Amino acid sequence: AEHAMHRAKQLRLGIEIYNDAHEYGSGLQVALRSQLYHALQQRQFHLYYQPKVRMDSQEMTGVEAIVRWHHPDEGMLLPASFIDLVEQSGIIHSFTRYTVEEAVNQIKIWQKQGFDVPVSVNLSAYNLLDDAFIGFIADLLAKTGVSPSLLEFELTESATMVDIDVSKKMIKTFKEMGIKTSIDDFGTGMSSFAYLRELDIHTVKLDRSFVKNIHQIEKDERIVEGIVALCRSLSINIIAEGVETARQAEILQGLDCQFAQGFLFGKPVPSGLVHSLLPSMKSLATQPV
Ligand code: C2E
Ligand code: MG
Ligand code: MG
Ligand code: MG
C-alpha cells in the first residue's frame, strides 16, 4: 500500500518512475524500454479494434481501440508487456497523441465508407496531468473534421484516483467538447462509488473479473445486478467486459446489462477486419450509444 501511495504521489508530481523496471524488470523489458522511442517514430504500434455490442440485438455499437506492438524481433506484443514502460519512460504523452490520432484517422476512413463508428481510446493517468492534451484533441478534431461524438476516452479507476480533482475537471472538459468518458475495469478500485458521484461518466465498463464466474457464483451475479441497477438509476450506460460464453451473455442480459464486449462477440482485430461488422452499424447511425 505504501508503494502504491508513493507511486501515486510520483504520478501526481509528474516524476518519472524509474524504480519498478529496475527492481523487477527483465532483460527483455530493459531492451524494450530502450526501443520505445524508435518504435513510436517507426510506427510499430498498431491499433486493433474490438467490437462492443448491444445485448438485445447483438448489433455492434462501436469499437475499443487497443494497442499492439508489432516488434521486428519479438513479434506481436500485448500492452501488458510495454504500457508500463511507456508510462515510465516519459513518452506517454506522445504515445497517447499517436493512438488518439490513429483512432481519429480511422473514424474518418470509416466515415468515408459511410459508417459512423464510435471509437474509444484508452488513456493513461499521465494524460490527465498533461495541460496541453485538451488543446491537442481540439486541434485534431478541428483538423480532421471528425465529430467529437464519435470519440470516447477510457480511464481506469486508478488513473482517475491519482488526482480526483484534476480528473473531474478533465472529464468535464471532455464532456463540454462532446467527448464521452468511460470508467474502465470498473469495480477493481477501492472506492468505485465515489467516482460515480464525482465524475461525469457516460459509461461504466464492468471489469471482467465480475463476468468470469457469473454463471457459477451467485454472489458475483448479485453484485453485477446491483451495479447494473445503480448505473441505470444514475443514467450511466453499462458494458460488461470479457464476455466469452453464451451463458455469461444470457445471464448479463437477464440482469438488464445493456452492452457487452468480449471474445464471444469478437477479439481485437486490425481495422480492415472490422469491415465485415460495419453493415450492422448502419441502422445504429442515429441511435445514441
Ligand atoms: P482494457 O482497456 O480493459 O482492454 C481490454 C483487454 O481485455 C484487452 O487486453 C482485450 O484483449 C482483453 N479482452 C477483451 N475481451 C476479452 C475476453 O472475452 N476475455 C479475455 N480473457 N480478455 C478479453 P489487452 O490487449 O491485453 O489490453 C490490456 C490493457 O492494456 C487494456 O485493458 C488497457 O488498459 C491497456 N491498453 C490497451 N491499449 C492501450 C492504449 O492504447 N493506451 C493505454 N494507455 N493503455 C492501453
Ligand atoms: Mg479499455
Ligand atoms: Mg477494460
Ligand atoms: Mg479490463
Side-chain angles (χ1 to χ4, degrees), residues 55 63 80-81 88 92 130 153 178 187 211-212 215 251 279:
M55 278 287 190
V63 294
S81 61
Q88 294 156 15
I92 186 67
D130 174 4
F153 291 134
V211 173
K212 198 167 192 288
H215 54 298
I251 294 169

Side-chain angles (χ1 to χ4, degrees), residues 47 50 64-68 78-80 83 87 92 95-96 99 121-124 127 154 156 184-185 205 208 241-244 261-264 266 268:
L47 290 186
Q50 185 177 32
E64 175 176 2
I66 297 175
V67 75
R68 301 284 179 252
L78 297 176
I83 286 289
E87 293 184 341
I92 186 67
F95 181 85
T96 303
T99 57
V121 180
N122 292 284
L123 299 190
S124 148
N127 300 129
E154 298 197 6
T156 61
D184 210 349
D185 304 341
K205 302 194 75 178
R208 72 166 177 271
E241 295 185 323
V243 180
E244 295 182 352
Q261 186 178 346
F263 295 165
L264 177 66

Side-chain angles (χ1 to χ4, degrees), residues 20 49 130 145 246-247 258 288:
D20 288 2
Y49 298 90
D130 174 4
R247 184 80 191 108
Q258 304 154 289

Side-chain angles (χ1 to χ4, degrees), residues 201-248:
I201 293 307
H202 183 267
T203 299
V204 153
K205 302 194 75 178
L206 181 71
D207 189 65
R208 72 166 177 271
S209 57
F210 294 101
V211 173
K212 198 167 192 288
N213 301 309
I214 199 166
H215 54 298
Q216 285 162 339
I217 302 179
E218 173 72 17
K219 221 181 204 175
D220 285 359
E221 189 176 339
R222 294 284 78 83
I223 289 171
V224 173
E225 185 177 34
I227 294 175
V228 171
L230 181 66
C231 289
R232 288 279 201 166
S233 68
L234 293 169
S235 299
I236 295 172
N237 280 353
I238 178 141
I239 175 163
E241 295 185 323
V243 180
E244 295 182 352
T245 68
R247 184 80 191 108
Q248 290 166 339

Side-chain angles (χ1 to χ4, degrees), residues 51-55 58-61 258-261 265:
K52 302 175 186 177
V53 301
R54 278 190 93 86
M55 278 287 190
Q58 303 219 342
E59 284 172 308
M60 186 166 83
T61 60
Q258 304 154 289
F259 303 102
Q261 186 178 346
F265 307 104

